[in-house]
Every structure is written in structure tokens, then in C-alpha cells.
């Protein structure tokens, strides 16, 4: 049913609903995948929320690295929550629809969290560079005031980038075609449905990707170049290994995030790669937020020790009571 465009020209009418094709076409497989993705989403919430609580509770984790890590977990919770609940409900529906406003809102939140994660990964790369390159001045350089300003800049940059992209995309005139060949509102799938010239919108998206995505990646790349130089200056082999481990988890997270995103959006126009794009999209929208806490925690002795201390305190509470 047509309706007035919320973000567009008041003299035009546009579609009120978009139709999502979903992850799979087979209804039987969707019912099988429902408990799998429900479990994945619940694990994502539990692990990331647990990591945030652990960092806040343990005084030994009150450092810039874990400060940033707690905000990364919060981003992963919001990012996953912008997609998973809708996808889970669609698994149980024959007709998968989403309203124009809901679609715009979903993309806005997803783009905000995605851009914020790019910027936060860059901030974390700089933090690792300071920790490895200038360990004696680390506390003075990465002061709490600077960390808070960096986080504010991360969320502010992500918000502005997402707002501009959302307005540019959903301000277009959508006159009829409304089928999105995906399981969420993805810009490369939405813009081709427009009946107006998408040049300005595509230019805005390109500039946002250039400044936020590539800009953050450039900061990360330069940080690791300087980290590599600093590691090579370390005399002992044990010292080099310890320095590498300091940034190893972050490097794995960056590789997963940027690798899957680039794999999807560098060739999204190829029709034969639609299924492959959906699989890769599952990786960076569903799986990465789930495994991110594990990447930073599994081989991290500080987090393991902090967890032991918190569990020990919790075990003593009933005795004191």
C-alpha cells in the first residue's frame, strides 16, 4: 500500500513496506535455523554483557585497553540486536515484511554501530601502539580524560556518518519495487529499488565509507606499522613475543571485521554472489559480535584472573550473609 514518504518529497508517494527475502527460501530449513540463531544471539548478549560487567567490577581491569573493550562489547550488543530479533521473527513467518520507518531505523542503528566499531578499532590500535612503543609514558598519554574524549569521538563520528547515510538513502523516491534480497535492510540492496536518481546518495555513501571506513583502516595500518617497528627494537625474543601478544587479539578482530565487510561490499553488484554475500553478512553481523569477547578473552590471563577473583568473591558472599 502506498503512503507519503516520511523522509522524502511530500508531493510523492512511496511504498509503505519492504519485503525481505530472508536468509533462505526453504521454510523447513528456516525452522531448523531458528534455534541455532536464537542460541547465537543469546550467547552474544551473555558473553558481551558479562565482559562489560567483569571489566566494571574488577579494579585490575581499569585500564584504557579494557575501557575500550567494554565499549566494543556494547557496540556488538547493539549491532547484533539491530538485526537478530527481526531475523529470528522472520524465520517463523511466511511473509517477511518491514515498514519503511522500521527499515530506516534498522539501517541507522546498524550503520551507527558499524561506523563506531571502525573508529573504536582505530582507537584501540593507537592504544596498543602507545602501550608497546612508549610503555613508560603509557599512563600519562592514555589518561582517562583522553580515553573518554576518544569514545565520545567514536560514537559521535558513527552517529553523524549513519545519519547522513540514512537520510541520503531513505530520502529517495521509492515508487513500487520493494523486494530486498537480504535478511536485513542493506543499503546496496535498497538503493536499486529507488525510482529517482541515486547519484547523490551513492556519493554520500562513498564519502562516508572513505572517511570512516578507510580512514579508520589507515589509522589501524599505520599503528601496526609503528608497532612492528617497536617490536623489532626489542632485544630479547621473549620481549618480542610478549609485545606481539599485546596486540595480537586486536589484530585478529580487525582482520575478521574488515575482511568480511570488504568481501561483501567490494562485489555486491554481482548477482551470482548473492548467496555468498548472505553467508558473509551472517559472519560480520551475527558471528563476529559473538566471538569478539572470546578473541580478547581466551588467551588473556588478566581477564581469566579477574574472572577467578569475581567468582571467588561471589562464592564468599553467602558465607558472610
Amino acid at each position: 500500500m502506498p503512503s507519503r514518504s516520511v523522509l522524502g518529497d511530500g508531493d510523492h508517494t512511496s511504498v509503505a513496506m519492504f519485503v525481505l527475502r530472508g536468509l533462505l527460501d526453504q521454510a523447513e530449513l528456516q525452522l531448523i535455523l531458528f534455534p541455532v540463531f536464537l542460541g547465537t544471539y543469546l550467547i552474544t548478549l551473555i558473553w558481551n554483557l558479562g565482559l562489560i560487567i567483569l571489566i566494571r567490577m574488577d579494579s585490575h581491569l581499569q585500564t584504557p585497553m579494557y575501557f575500550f573493550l567494554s565499549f566494543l562489547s556494547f557496540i556488538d550488543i547493539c549491532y547484533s540486536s539491530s538485526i537478530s530479533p527481526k531475523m529470528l521473527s522472520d524465520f517463523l513467518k511466511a511473509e517477511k515484511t518491514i515498514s519503511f520507518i522500521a527499515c530506516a531505523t534498522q539501517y541507522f542503528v546498524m550503520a551507527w554501530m558499524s561506523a563506531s566499531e571502525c573508529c573504536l578499532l582505530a582507537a584501540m590500535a593507537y592504544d596498543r601502539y602507545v602501550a608497546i612503543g612508549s610503555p613508560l609514558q603509557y599512563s600519562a598519554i592514555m589518561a582517562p580524560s583522553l580515553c573518554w574524549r576518544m569514545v565520545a569521538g567514536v560514537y559521535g563520528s558513527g552517529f553523524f556518518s549513519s545519519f547522513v547515510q540514512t537520510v541520503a538513502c531513505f530520502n529517495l523516491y521509492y515508487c513500487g519495487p520493494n523486494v530486498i534480497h537480504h535478511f536485513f535492510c542493506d543499503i546496496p540492496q535498497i538503493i536499486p529499488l529507488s525510482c529517482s536518481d541515486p547519484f547523490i546518495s551513492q556519493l554520500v555513501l562513498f564519502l562516508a565509507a572513505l572517511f570512516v571506513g578507510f580512514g579508520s583502516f589507515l589509522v589501524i595500518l599505520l599503528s601496526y606499522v609503528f608497532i612492528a617497528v617497536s617490536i623489532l627494537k626489542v632485544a630479547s625474543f621473549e620481549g618480542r613475543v610478549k609485545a606481539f601478544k599485546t596486540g595480537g587479539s586486536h589484530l585478529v578482530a580487525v582482520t575478521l571485521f574488515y575482511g568480511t565487510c570488504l568481501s561483501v561490499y567490494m562485489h555486491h553488484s554481482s548477482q551470482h554472489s548473492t548467496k555468498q554475500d548472505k553467508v558473509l553478512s551472517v559472519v560480520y553481523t551475527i558471528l563476529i559480535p559473538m566471538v569478539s569477547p572470546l578473541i580478547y578473552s581466551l588467551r588473556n590471563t588478566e581477564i581469566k584472573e579477574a574472572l577467578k577473583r569475581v567468582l571467588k568473591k561471589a562464592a564468599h558472599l553467602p558465607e558472610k550473609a
Side-chain angles (χ1 to χ4, degrees), residues 155-201:
Y155 282 100
S157 300
F159 180 89
F160 179 75
S161 172
S162 176
F163 180 78
V164 171
Q165 292 179 62
T166 304
V167 171
C169 175
F170 290 91
N171 195 43
L172 295 173
Y173 173 38
Y174 296 91
C175 60
N178 66 337
V179 178
I180 301 174
H181 294 273
H182 222 308
F183 58 89
F184 63 93
C185 292
D186 198 22
I187 283 291
Q189 300 290 339
I190 297 173
I191 288 183
L193 302 178
S194 170
C195 301
S196 53
D197 186 2
F199 175 76
I200 298 298
S201 299

Side-chain angles (χ1 to χ4, degrees), residues 18 43 73 81 114 129 132 170 188 199 207 229 236 241 254 272 321:
F18 287 110
I43 291 172
S73 289
S81 297
S114 180
Y129 160 65
I132 295 172
F170 290 91
F199 175 76
L207 291 175
V229 172
S236 65
V241 172
V254 168
H272 69 276

Side-chain angles (χ1 to χ4, degrees), residues 279-292:
V279 172
L280 291 172
S281 295
V282 167
V283 173
Y284 79 82
T285 60
I286 307 297
L287 296 184
I288 288 181
M290 181 185 71
V291 302
S292 183

Side-chain angles (χ1 to χ4, degrees), residues 56 72 108 122 124 176 224 236 312:
R56 291 289 180 265
L72 180 64
F108 172 76
M124 293 173 75
Y224 274 98
S236 65
K312 188 176 181 180

Side-chain angles (χ1 to χ4, degrees), residues 217-235:
F217 182 74
L218 187 60
V219 171
I220 294 170
L221 188 63
L222 289 174
S223 296
Y224 274 98
V225 169
F226 290 127
I227 286 173
V229 172
S230 299
I231 290 176
L232 292 175
K233 291 180 180 179
V234 178

Side-chain angles (χ1 to χ4, degrees), residues 201-317:
S201 299
Q202 291 173 335
L203 180 61
V204 169
L205 295 175
F206 173 76
L207 291 175
L210 181 65
F211 285 106
V212 177
F214 182 74
S216 298
F217 182 74
L218 187 60
V219 171
I220 294 170
L221 188 63
L222 289 174
S223 296
Y224 274 98
V225 169
F226 290 127
I227 286 173
V229 172
S230 299
I231 290 176
L232 292 175
K233 291 180 180 179
V234 178
S236 65
F237 176 76
E238 292 78 8
R240 291 182 180 181
V241 172
K242 183 179 179 180
F244 178 78
K245 286 182 178 180
T246 302
S249 298
H250 179 262
L251 186 60
V252 172
V254 168
T255 303
L256 280 175
F257 181 77
Y258 272 95
T260 51
C261 287
L262 289 174
S263 297
V264 172
Y265 293 109
M266 290 299 287
H267 61 83
H268 68 262
S269 60
S270 303
Q271 293 298 321
H272 69 276
S273 63
T274 301
K275 291 184 178 180
Q276 181 183 353
D277 288 349
K278 288 183 180 181
V279 172
L280 291 172
S281 295
V282 167
V283 173
Y284 79 82
T285 60
I286 307 297
L287 296 184
I288 288 181
M290 181 185 71
V291 302
S292 183
L294 291 180
I295 292 173
Y296 287 99
S297 304
L298 278 181
R299 301 183 65 181
N300 189 312
T301 55
E302 290 180 333
I303 289 183
K304 290 179 180 178
E305 291 301 320
L307 182 59
K308 290 178 182 178
R309 286 191 293 269
V310 170
L311 292 176
K312 188 176 181 180
K313 288 180 181 178
H316 288 314
L317 285 177

Side-chain angles (χ1 to χ4, degrees), residues 5-25:
S5 175
V6 177
L7 299 175
D9 187 346
D11 295 331
H12 285 155
T13 58
S14 66
V15 294
M17 292 282 181
F18 287 110
V19 177
L20 296 169
R21 293 300 300 269
L23 187 60
L24 296 169
D25 295 328

